[in-house]
């Protein structure tokens, strides 16, 4: 019942106030047949210069794309692409991205999961004004991982991301290549986004405080697409780039999948599972072995209702279309990992909603760019506890670091969460404790915040100054 109401609300049939408001365009699209369009892989950017470091140039500009077949959707893009083009970086090799803003609004682009200086972090008020550009420098002195870049503008990240300002940033490392995981065309990104559309094909956006959800599921900018695969192993790099929606991903018929990586790269060991929760800004890499299925099989990736496993909504479909030899492997040890031993401050952050001020808060405070909330010491490992006093889930993200999840009050930490993380889901009324190691080489101001962009914009964000 709750989920049907939620669905109707998302489809625009019920407004937030519960009043009946019929939006036929939205309602009919909600029932559009899935698996009509092939998956596309976002383009990989080519550097314009490779002398000593890789230099990229990209223009943020308006464009239109066909997302719903037969409709044109105006977007805000990087070089016209939706999602933005993928940047592939090599560990230890510097990347500079010149981002030119030809939109009508200021933007600031954050490298999510990146270890970068505050000036290159894309902070909320470090804006690129229309007609200007900024060079962002990324050292890539960190292990291989699937990162992403996205807009982080003060109060407007929800709108700017919804309009299209995000893309993948993958750090590669020869040590990872030696594992012989599926690679090349068998290593495929799946960027999950949900969107609502108006009758004319344009995105429908509301600046809500609770959540901004769409009723159409997009993968790499395509509505519930299909992908033809061979009967062999594939690696999928899943990013939840949705503004607010958490997915509980499953394969139909409870088929198995194996998680191999999380936000900060490979897990210590492959983690077989049948359900993969993934909240905004989390990354989960999985291996699916299609050799278990005869040629001609169809395997559906779906979102399963957390409270009712019989309620599923398709995300995309894999069509096992051909035989192919497979020389890849899935080693039983991926990357040994030492548990962090906290030696620094212990901090607690209470997450709540203030009804008087109509905003989300951390420790009773909304975001104030002039206030520093905590001062961690570089090189130290702190204990951070997020205590959720509200009835919403908060995917909490900390800039600069990768952390380990030590414990969660309501559920065990799963094998898929035992790697490096930069975002952690804090369930309603739950408490999650983290070990957070601050790098030696970086100091200055960074953000931590909820990655439900509706919460982030209103105004669930704090600042730390690493000293
Ligand atoms: Cu993905 Cu502060 O952001
Ligand atoms: Cu939140």
């Amino acid at each position: 019942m709750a989920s049907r109401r939620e669905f109707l609300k998302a489809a625009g049939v019920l407004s937030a106030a519960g009043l009946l408001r019929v939006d036929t365009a939205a309602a009919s699209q909600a029932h559009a047949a899935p698996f009509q369009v092939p998956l596309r892989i976002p383009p990989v950017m080519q550097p314009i210069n490779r002398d000593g470091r890789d230099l990229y140039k990209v223009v943020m500009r308006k464009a239109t794309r066909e997302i719903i077949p037969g409709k044109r959707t105006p977007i805000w893009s990087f070089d016209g692409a939706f999602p933005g083009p993928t940047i592939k970086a090599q560990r230890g090799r510097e990347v500079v991205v010149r981002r030119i803003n030809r939109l009508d609004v200021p933007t600031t682009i954050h490298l999510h999961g990146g270890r970068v200086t505050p000036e290159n972090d894309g902070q909320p008020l470090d804006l690129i004004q229309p007609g200007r550009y900024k060079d962002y420098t990324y050292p890539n002195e960190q292990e291989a991982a699937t990162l992403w870049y996205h807009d982080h503008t003060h109060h407007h990240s929800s709108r700017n991301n919804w309009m299209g300002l995000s893309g993948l940033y993958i750090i590669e490392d020869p040590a990872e290549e030696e594992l012989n995981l599926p690679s090349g065309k068998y290593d495929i990104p799946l960027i999950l986004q949900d969107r609502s559309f108006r009758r004319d094909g344009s995105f429908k956006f509301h600046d809500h405080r609770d959540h901004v959800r769409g009723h159409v599921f997009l993968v790499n900018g395509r509505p519930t697409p299909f992908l033809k695969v061979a009967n062999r192993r594939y690696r999928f790099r899943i990013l939840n780039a949705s503004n607010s929606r958490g997915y509980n991903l499953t394969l139909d018929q409870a088929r198995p999948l194996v998680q191999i990586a999380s936000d900060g790269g490979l897990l210590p060991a492959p983690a077989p599972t049948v359900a993969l929760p993934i909240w905004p800004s989390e990354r989960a890499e999985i291996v699916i072995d299609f050799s278990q299925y005869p040629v001609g099989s169809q395997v559906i990736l779906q979102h399963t209702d957390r409270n009712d496993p019989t309620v599923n909504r398709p995300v995309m479909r894999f069509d096992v279309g051909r035989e192919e030899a497979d020389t890849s492997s899935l080693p039983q040890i991926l990357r040994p990992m030492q548990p962090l031993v906290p030696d620094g401050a212990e901090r607690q952050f209470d997450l709540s909603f203030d009804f008087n001020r109509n905003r989300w808060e951390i420790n009773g405070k909304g975001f104030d760019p002039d206030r520093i909330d905590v001062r961690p010491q570089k090189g130290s490992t702190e204990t951070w506890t997020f205590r959720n006093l509200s009835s919403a889930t908060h995917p909490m993200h900390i800039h600069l670091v990768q952390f380990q999840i030590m414990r969660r009050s309501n559920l065990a930490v799963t094998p898929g969460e035992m790697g490096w993380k930069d975002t952690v889901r804090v369930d309603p009324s739950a408490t999650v404790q983290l070990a957070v190691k601050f790098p030696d080489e970086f100091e200055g101001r960074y953000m931590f915040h909820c990655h439900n962009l509706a919460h982030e914009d209103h105004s669930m964000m704090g600042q730390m100054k690493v000293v």
Side-chain angles (χ1 to χ4, degrees):
M1 199 58 210
S3 75
R4 179 168 163 77
R5 194 187 149 75
E6 194 173 277
F7 174 78
L8 290 171
K9 205 161 133 183
V13 177
L14 297 175
S15 75
L19 300 169
L20 191 66
R21 184 170 57 86
V22 179
D23 183 327
T24 46
S28 66
Q29 276 163 20
H31 298 108
F35 319 128
Q36 300 302 302
V37 295
L39 182 82
R40 269 199 215 125
I41 314 283
V44 175
M45 279 192 81
Q46 293 307 311
I48 58 165
N49 184 302
R50 292 184 193 266
D51 290 343
R53 41 90 177 109
D54 294 338
L55 175 65
Y56 293 90
K57 201 165 96 179
V58 64
V59 177
M60 290 179 268
R61 59 176 172 85
K62 293 184 181 175
T64 55
R65 302 293 295 177
E66 182 175 305
I67 298 172
I68 301 296
K71 304 260 181 188
R72 306 295 298 175
T73 303
I75 59 163
W76 296 355
S77 75
F78 293 95
D79 284 350
F82 176 76
T86 301
I87 295 176
K88 286 195 178 170
Q90 307 305 314
R91 181 177 183 182
R93 185 174 164 83
E94 188 175 276
V95 161
V96 177
V97 186
R98 171 164 299 183
R99 293 196 171 101
I100 303 157
N101 183 1
R102 299 230 175 94
L103 296 165
D104 308 329
V105 297
T107 62
T108 169
I109 306 302
H110 171 56
L111 179 63
H112 182 119
R115 242 185 235 191
V116 306
T117 62
E119 305 72 59
N120 292 289
D121 194 40
Q123 302 194 347
L125 288 161
D126 197 355
L127 298 168
I128 314 171
Q129 295 299 335
R132 312 297 284 256
Y133 71 86
K134 178 175 164 90
D135 290 340
Y136 292 89
T137 300
Y138 305 133
N140 301 307
E141 296 285 359
Q142 60 187 100
E143 292 188 65
T146 303
L147 313 184
W148 65 302
Y149 61 85
H150 63 80
D151 177 80
H152 214 305
T153 303
H154 189 39
H155 288 320
H156 294 296
S157 60
S158 196
R159 179 197 66 191
N160 293 1
N161 278 270
W162 188 262
M163 289 304 294
L165 296 180
S166 66
L168 279 179
Y169 186 101
I170 297 173
I171 302 182
E172 299 175 324
D173 177 349
E176 186 174 307
E177 276 149 36
E178 273 167 29
L179 294 174
N180 192 34
L181 293 162
S183 62
K185 59 181 178 173
Y186 308 107
D187 174 351
I188 296 179
L190 302 177
I191 302 170
L192 309 186
Q193 294 167 306
D194 56 343
R195 292 290 185 276
S196 286
F197 296 84
R198 296 184 194 284
R199 193 188 303 265
D200 62 3
S202 61
F203 286 140
K204 195 155 116 187
F205 175 76
H206 292 291
D207 187 18
H208 286 309
R209 279 166 199 256
D210 280 346
H211 42 73
V212 179
R213 288 193 201 124
H215 61 277
V216 178
F217 287 177
L218 305 179
V219 186
N220 298 348
R222 309 283 270 167
T224 17
F226 65 86
L227 174 69
K228 291 191 174 143
V229 295
N231 66 338
R232 52 156 291 150
R233 268 187 222 102
Y234 281 74
R235 172 183 187 165
F236 295 105
R237 300 174 186 256
I238 307 175
L239 158 67
N240 184 353
S242 308
N243 283 38
S244 302
R245 183 183 294 276
Y247 301 79
N248 182 41
L249 297 177
T250 64
L251 298 178
D252 63 324
Q253 301 176 32
R255 288 162 157 156
L257 49 87
V258 180
Q259 188 179 348
I260 58 163
S262 57
D263 306 336
L266 291 175
L267 296 171
T273 184
V274 290
L276 187 67
I278 182 164
W279 283 77
S281 89
E282 286 188 302
R283 283 86 73 209
E285 298 182 35
I286 61 172
V287 168
I288 303 179
D289 188 354
F290 294 107
S291 72
Q292 316 166 61
Y293 310 119
V295 168
S297 311
Q298 297 179 326
V299 178
I300 295 174
L301 179 70
Q302 58 193 9
H303 166 51
T304 298
D305 191 294
R306 268 164 288 271
N307 304 312
D308 182 353
T310 65
V311 177
N312 295 297
R313 288 183 57 190
V315 172
M316 67 173 291
R317 191 179 70 197
F318 304 103
D319 295 349
V320 187
R322 58 185 192 275
E323 307 256 353
E324 226 170 79
D326 190 354
T327 56
S328 72
S329 19
L330 180 54
Q332 280 319 294
I333 294 179
L334 296 170
R335 176 168 65 155
M337 192 171 123
Q338 295 301 316
L340 291 173
V341 182
D343 59 7
E346 291 184 25
R347 310 186 191 274
Q348 177 162 314
F349 303 92
D350 287 347
L351 314 176
S352 60
F353 189 78
D354 184 316
F355 287 92
N356 296 320
R357 283 187 283 218
N358 192 23
R359 65 179 195 191
W360 295 95
E361 295 181 340
I362 301 175
N363 284 346
K365 293 176 190 145
F367 180 56
D368 176 351
D370 296 325
R371 186 189 71 235
I372 298 293
D373 297 280
V374 291
R375 291 188 154 73
Q377 273 189 355
K378 54 184 174 182
S380 72
T381 300
E382 299 195 346
T383 307
W384 282 36
T385 303
F386 289 118
R387 188 165 68 144
N388 189 349
L389 306 178
S390 75
S391 55
T393 296
H394 302 289
M396 296 300 296
H397 169 51
I398 312 175
H399 284 212
L400 180 68
V401 298
Q402 293 289 334
F403 51 74
Q404 293 176 4
I405 306 174
M406 293 199 286
R407 60 186 72 84
R408 174 187 283 128
S409 64
N410 56 327
L411 290 168
V413 178
T414 62
E417 296 174 313
M418 290 183 183
W420 294 104
K421 297 280 294 164
D422 55 43
T423 305
V424 64
R425 170 187 109 236
V426 190
D427 294 323
S429 306
T431 295
V432 177
Q433 200 171 67
L434 313 174
V436 186
K437 168 112 173 92
F438 293 89
D440 295 319
E441 326 80 56
F442 293 89
E443 54 186 31
R445 185 182 62 169
Y446 295 92
M447 286 69 220
F448 57 96
H449 59 88
C450 178
H451 221 291
N452 175 339
L453 300 181
H455 297 184
E456 176 187 327
D457 281 346
H458 303 288
S459 67
M460 203 170 190
M461 178 148 60
Q463 295 192 110
M464 57 187 188
K465 185 167 183 185
V466 182
V467 293

